[in-house]
């Protein structure tokens, strides 16, 4: 056990984690020859296309140090704020972390929040300054920032480059010298922490775990503590580039188990595996439940696909434990699921993965957050969907979730960023200079204001330099109203939103204008109205596509023309009574991008 090291790589988005992981795998000869490619651990097409890591990936390496062979278990993690749950799971399975900081960009918001997460879990931090081969690198200034942040001596900071391979051997030596060996008792009853799982259509569900105490062998009769289910370990092994079977996995090591589990409900991330014959008294503590931030309805385009969508979501949830869902129905879209995501990028990725991995075509409704609604009697209900709101006369007040946000930026962009945050009802708490021309601004903001387009706008006004991180802070009362969109007097529940009183009229007007552009013209007039309760606040009309019925009248009496027009008018009126208006998927998506 003393020769095992478990560590993860944490950093802000695009600071070179995956490239550095490639070099580690290459220098330890874990991946050689034709298997070596850029970002070797990013095995999803989606990750390669977008150049981001979506899933954390575990892999085992062997390294000789001073004549002894060491086993290094590496977990590469995502950097985007929407996937911070993946990072928290990786950190739970490790004893040390490589903190990667880009020599050209310096410390960013996500660097700080991931660092705090690692410190809370008592991980040994090894600071690595990456990309020092770049012409724009500022190694000395960034070194000052790291010393200020970590309080470590300068000589502890390793200068490296994932591209050229400089400093990689130093990193490997530092991992062995500084990261503590896993603690645990090989003689104690078995306890394994599940930190991830995947679905394999041939072998059922494969769970990835770290052995905290005891030893697990092939053929053991095991039990999952949280679900209480029992299985036989058909195969156990370690994670190389492919899965590599072993006869046993000992304390402190990371591996996988295949036991022919068919249903996804039986494997929960954070669960503990133990032996049936000699069970552990308790599960392993300290694994947090995920709290979704953004809710949206996901509906199959063809209503017969409802059960397939459920199966697809369950399989996806195995691999992405931060996705939560429950069934709901909508008048416009039929049966579907109310899904909880960690953010908008997460929502986009889930939609894309449903399409690619499970061939599911889905419609996603406008994202919103959960509110606490208090009625006149003092009862509180949680509302995720504007259609679940009680009658306005029964509501006493509504509390909405506020986040504590920190934005790190160059001083040149402070003005526009403050304007953006104040426009989103933000409350400035403090601003502090980190170093030179970098400043950190702290805001309290309503989550509902940032779920749609805040991140994109922040990136564009700061030319991509500002970085943003947040966590849920508390719920506060605010004046919210339900804005309904009516087509020919019929409400479209998928387009309803909860919005602040001050923004409601302008938002309603913009929504009507946008829908007028997107809804195709029919044979009859379509009235698009925005309403708060019974009060109409905006209206647009889509004119009917008309046939020129008077074209055949050459000259003659005006009454002939009028007769034809009246006849047409009657027909249009009948059509309007029985006609329905199809709202295209584009219209649902355009509402998200309203400026």
């Amino acid at each position: 056990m003393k020769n095992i090291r478990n560590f993860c790589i944490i950093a802000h988005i695009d600071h070179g984690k995956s490239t550095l992981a490639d070099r580690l795998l290459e220098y330890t000869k874990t991946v050689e020859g034709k298997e070596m490619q850029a970002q070797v651990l990013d095995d999803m097409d989606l990750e390669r296309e977008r150049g981001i890591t979506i899933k954390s990936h575990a892999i085992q390496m062997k390294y000789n140090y001073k004549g002894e062979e060491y086993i290094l278990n590496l977990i590469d993690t995502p950097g985007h704020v929407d996937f911070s749950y993946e990072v928290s799971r990786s950190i739970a399975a490790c004893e040390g972390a490589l903190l990667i900081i880009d020599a050209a960009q310096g410390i960013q918001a996500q660097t700080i929040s991931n660092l705090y997460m690692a410190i809370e879990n008592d991980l040994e931090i090894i600071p690595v300054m990456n990309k020092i081969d770049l012409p724009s690198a500022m190694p000395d200034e960034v070194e000052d920032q790291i010393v200020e942040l970590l309080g470590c001596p300068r000589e502890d900071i390793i200068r490296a480059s994932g591209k050229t391979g400089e400093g990689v051997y130093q990193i490997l030596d530092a991992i062995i010298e500084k990261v503590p060996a896993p603690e645990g008792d090989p003689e104690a009853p078995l306890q394994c922490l599940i930190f991830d799982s995947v679905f394999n259509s041939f072998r059922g569900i494969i769970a990835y775990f770290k052995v905290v105490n005891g030893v697990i062998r092939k053929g053991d009769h095991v039990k999952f503590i949280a679900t209480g289910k029992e299985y036989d370990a058909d195969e156990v092994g370690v994670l190389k580039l492919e899965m590599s079977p072993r006869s046993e996995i000992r304390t402190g090591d990371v591996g996988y188990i295949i036991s022919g589990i068919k249903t996804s409900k039986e494997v929960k991330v954070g669960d503990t595996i133990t032996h049936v014959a000699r069970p552990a008294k308790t599960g392993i503590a300290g694994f947090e439940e995920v709290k979704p931030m953004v809710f949206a309805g996901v509906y199959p385009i063809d209503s017969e696909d409802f059960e397939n969508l459920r199966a697809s979501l369950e399989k996806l949830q195995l691999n992405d434990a931060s996705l939560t869902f429950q069934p709901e129905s909508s008048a416009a879209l039929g049966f579907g699921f109310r899904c909880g995501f960690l953010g908008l990028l997460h929502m986009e990725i889930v939609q894309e993965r449903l399409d690619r991995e499970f061939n599911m075509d889905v419609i996603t409704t406008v994202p919103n957050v959960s509110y606490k609604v208090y009625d006149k009697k003092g009862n509180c209900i949680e509302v995720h969907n504007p259609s679940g709101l009680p009658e306005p006369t029964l509501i006493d007040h509504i509390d909405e979730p506020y986040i504590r946000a920190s934005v790190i930026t160059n001083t040149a962009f402070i003005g526009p960023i403050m304007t953006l945050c104040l426009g989103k009802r933000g409350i400035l708490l403090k601003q502090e200079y980190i170093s030179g021309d970098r400043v950190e601004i702290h805001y309290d903001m309503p989550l509902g204001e940032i779920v749609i387009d805040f991140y994109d706008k922040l990136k564009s006004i700061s030319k991509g330099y500002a970085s943003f991180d947040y966590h849920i802070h508390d719920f506060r009362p605010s004046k919210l109203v339900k804005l309904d969109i009516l087509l020919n007097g019929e409400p479209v529940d998928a387009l309803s939103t909860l919005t602040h009183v001050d923004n409601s009229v302008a938002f309603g007007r913009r929504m009507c204008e946008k829908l007028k552009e997107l809804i195709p013209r029919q044979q009859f007039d379509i009235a698009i109205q925005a309403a708060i309760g019974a009060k109409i606040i905006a209206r647009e009309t889509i004119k009917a596509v008309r046939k020129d019925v008077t074209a055949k009248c050459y000259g003659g009496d005006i009454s002939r023309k009028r007769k034809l027009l009246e006849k047409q008018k009657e027909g249009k009126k009948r059509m309007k009574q029985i006609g329905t208006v199809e709202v295209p998927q584009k219209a649902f998506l355009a509402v998200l991008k309203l400026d």
Side-chain angles (χ1 to χ4, degrees):
M1 218 170 84
K2 68 179 198 327
N3 285 14
I4 294 176
R5 300 286 182 272
N6 299 322
F7 69 99
C8 60
I9 301 184
I10 53 175
H12 186 76
I13 186 167
D14 201 24
H15 278 203
K17 296 177 290 301
S18 299
T19 313
L20 199 65
D22 290 350
R23 295 292 82 75
L24 292 173
L25 295 173
E26 189 184 342
Y27 282 41
T28 55
K29 298 192 172 52
T30 309
V31 179
E32 292 183 289
K34 67 175 190 294
E35 288 176 340
M36 194 66 219
Q37 51 173 339
Q39 282 85 38
V40 69
L41 291 178
D42 290 352
D43 50 12
M44 244 187 272
D45 294 341
L46 202 54
E47 293 179 312
R48 298 193 157 278
E49 277 166 34
R50 293 182 175 230
I52 55 175
T53 305
I54 294 169
K55 285 290 304 159
S56 48
H57 299 271
I59 191 163
Q60 190 179 84
M61 308 179 281
K62 288 200 166 86
Y63 182 60
N64 271 7
Y65 177 69
K66 294 185 177 167
E68 278 190 71
E69 187 172 71
Y70 286 84
I71 291 175
L72 309 178
N73 290 314
L74 153 73
I75 302 180
D76 179 28
T77 63
H80 198 281
V81 60
D82 281 10
F83 303 113
S84 53
Y85 186 67
E86 288 282 327
V87 184
S88 74
R89 288 167 25 187
S90 312
I91 285 175
C94 294
E95 282 84 33
L98 293 181
L99 180 71
I100 312 281
I101 292 141
D102 186 330
Q105 295 181 48
I107 286 170
Q108 305 276 317
Q110 212 49 36
T111 316
I112 296 177
S113 75
N114 286 343
L115 171 71
Y116 287 154
M117 218 187 300
I119 290 174
E120 275 169 30
N121 282 285
D122 293 335
L123 265 60
E124 178 64 42
I125 310 287
I126 300 172
V128 177
M129 186 163 40
N130 196 16
K131 303 193 186 182
I132 59 160
D133 58 311
L134 288 181
S136 58
M138 318 170 288
D140 296 335
E141 289 149 43
V142 175
E143 215 164 66
D144 292 340
Q145 292 176 20
I146 299 172
V147 169
E148 202 169 313
L149 177 71
L150 285 174
C152 63
R154 265 178 191 278
E155 52 275 11
D156 283 5
I157 301 168
I158 300 171
R159 293 188 176 197
S161 161
K163 200 169 175 185
T164 63
E166 186 184 335
V168 173
Y169 283 122
Q170 262 176 286
I171 294 174
L172 287 164
D173 294 350
I175 290 166
I176 288 165
E177 286 162 13
K178 293 183 181 166
V179 175
E183 291 170 8
D185 180 1
E187 304 303 319
L190 177 70
Q191 278 183 315
C192 308
L193 173 72
I194 299 178
F195 64 87
D196 203 356
S197 54
V198 290
F199 180 80
N200 182 311
S201 45
F202 302 107
R203 315 205 56 182
I205 291 161
I206 304 170
Y208 298 159
F209 60 82
K210 175 192 174 187
V211 185
V212 179
N213 290 311
V215 179
I216 184 167
R217 294 182 176 83
K218 185 179 173 177
D220 281 354
H221 194 45
V222 295
K223 174 173 131 183
F224 287 34
I225 289 182
T227 56
K229 299 275 199 248
E230 299 181 4
Y231 308 98
D232 288 320
D234 299 335
E235 179 180 314
V236 295
V238 294
L239 298 154
K240 298 280 188 164
L241 204 52
E242 303 291 325
M243 287 186 276
S244 147
R246 296 278 187 273
S247 56
E248 63 174 30
I249 296 186
R250 307 190 65 80
T251 312
D253 218 340
V254 173
Y256 69 90
I257 177 170
I258 299 176
S259 47
I261 304 171
K262 299 286 186 296
T263 50
S264 50
K265 288 192 182 68
E266 296 175 20
V267 178
K268 285 193 167 56
V269 167
D271 196 355
T272 305
I273 306 175
T274 187
H275 281 132
V276 175
R278 189 170 155 232
K281 301 268 191 307
T282 55
I284 301 161
F287 215 88
E288 57 187 84
E289 271 294 303
V290 58
K291 296 188 224 36
M293 305 279 189
V294 176
F295 294 88
V298 173
Y299 294 87
I301 286 177
D302 187 352
S303 55
E304 289 167 5
D305 284 341
F306 177 71
E307 281 305 323
N308 295 349
L309 179 60
R310 183 198 295 274
S312 306
L313 282 169
E314 282 178 354
K315 287 174 188 168
L316 193 58
Q317 194 178 32
L318 278 174
N319 197 231
D320 182 357
S322 50
L323 171 70
T324 58
F325 63 91
Q326 64 206 49
E328 72 161 6
S329 64
S330 137
L333 300 167
F335 289 104
F337 293 94
R338 182 113 202 110
C339 298
F341 308 98
L342 294 185
L344 278 190
L345 177 72
H346 186 213
M347 175 171 129
E348 205 179 310
I349 295 291
V350 166
Q351 211 175 333
E352 189 85 358
R353 285 182 72 182
L354 281 172
D355 181 28
R356 291 187 183 203
E357 294 170 28
F358 305 102
N359 291 327
M360 292 300 309
D361 278 338
V362 294
I363 291 179
T364 316
T365 62
V366 183
N368 48 32
V369 298
S370 58
Y371 298 93
K372 288 183 176 168
V373 180
Y374 291 88
D375 61 14
K376 297 272 168 66
K377 295 175 185 166
N379 301 327
C380 168
I381 55 167
E382 218 176 72
V383 174
H384 299 313
N385 196 343
S387 58
L389 212 61
E391 286 298 309
T393 47
L394 304 173
I395 297 173
D396 183 49
H397 68 277
I398 303 177
D399 284 4
E400 67 172 332
Y402 265 69
I403 56 163
R404 178 67 49 94
S406 80
V407 178
I408 295 182
T409 176
N410 198 306
T411 42
F413 306 114
I414 292 182
I417 287 174
M418 286 193 163
T419 313
L420 172 70
C421 294
L422 292 171
K424 300 279 186 189
R425 299 191 281 135
I427 302 160
L428 178 65
L429 298 172
K430 61 175 179 185
Q431 67 180 64
E432 47 196 20
Y433 285 84
I434 307 175
S435 65
D437 58 351
R438 294 166 66 75
V439 63
E440 184 174 9
I441 313 172
H442 294 271
Y443 268 96
D444 273 355
M445 293 165 80
L447 180 62
E449 291 279 347
I450 69 150
V451 308
I452 293 183
D453 57 357
F454 179 80
Y455 195 71
D456 299 345
K457 282 187 176 169
L458 179 74
K459 283 290 178 200
S460 56
I461 61 176
S462 67
K463 301 191 171 70
Y465 276 113
S467 61
F468 169 68
D469 184 51
Y470 62 89
H471 57 268
I472 284 283
H473 189 56
D474 55 4
F475 279 78
R476 301 180 190 179
S478 60
K479 285 185 176 170
L480 296 165
V481 288
K482 180 184 173 191
L483 182 73
D484 286 316
I485 298 291
L486 313 174
L487 294 181
N488 281 345
E490 290 291 313
V492 182
D493 60 349
L495 290 172
S496 304
T497 47
L498 274 176
T499 176
H500 196 263
V501 166
D502 302 346
N503 308 341
S504 58
V505 176
F507 187 66
R509 191 168 297 137
R510 287 206 310 269
M511 229 155 138
C512 290
E513 285 163 6
K514 195 76 183 169
L515 288 170
K516 184 181 178 181
E517 292 169 23
L518 292 165
I519 292 176
R521 288 170 72 183
Q522 307 283 342
Q523 299 276 336
F524 49 89
D525 283 2
I526 305 171
I528 305 171
Q529 295 166 309
I532 296 173
K535 182 182 170 194
I536 304 290
I537 55 168
R539 169 179 171 134
E540 293 285 336
T541 310
I542 299 177
K543 285 309 210 183
V545 184
R546 298 186 44 175
K547 181 181 172 187
D548 189 358
V549 286
T550 57
K552 61 185 179 194
C553 296
Y554 287 104
D557 195 342
I558 184 70
S559 60
R560 286 177 61 201
K561 291 186 178 177
R562 191 168 295 135
K563 184 177 152 197
L564 289 167
L565 288 168
E566 289 296 328
K567 194 172 158 192
Q568 184 187 35
K569 202 167 162 188
E570 284 301 309
K572 297 273 184 225
K573 195 171 168 187
R574 258 200 322 279
M575 256 184 202
K576 189 171 181 173
Q577 284 165 356
I578 59 168
T580 55
V581 185
E582 286 285 314
V583 183
Q585 166 73 1
K586 272 204 309 236
F588 292 113
L589 296 176
V591 177
L592 314 188
K593 299 196 166 65
L594 270 186
D595 238 1

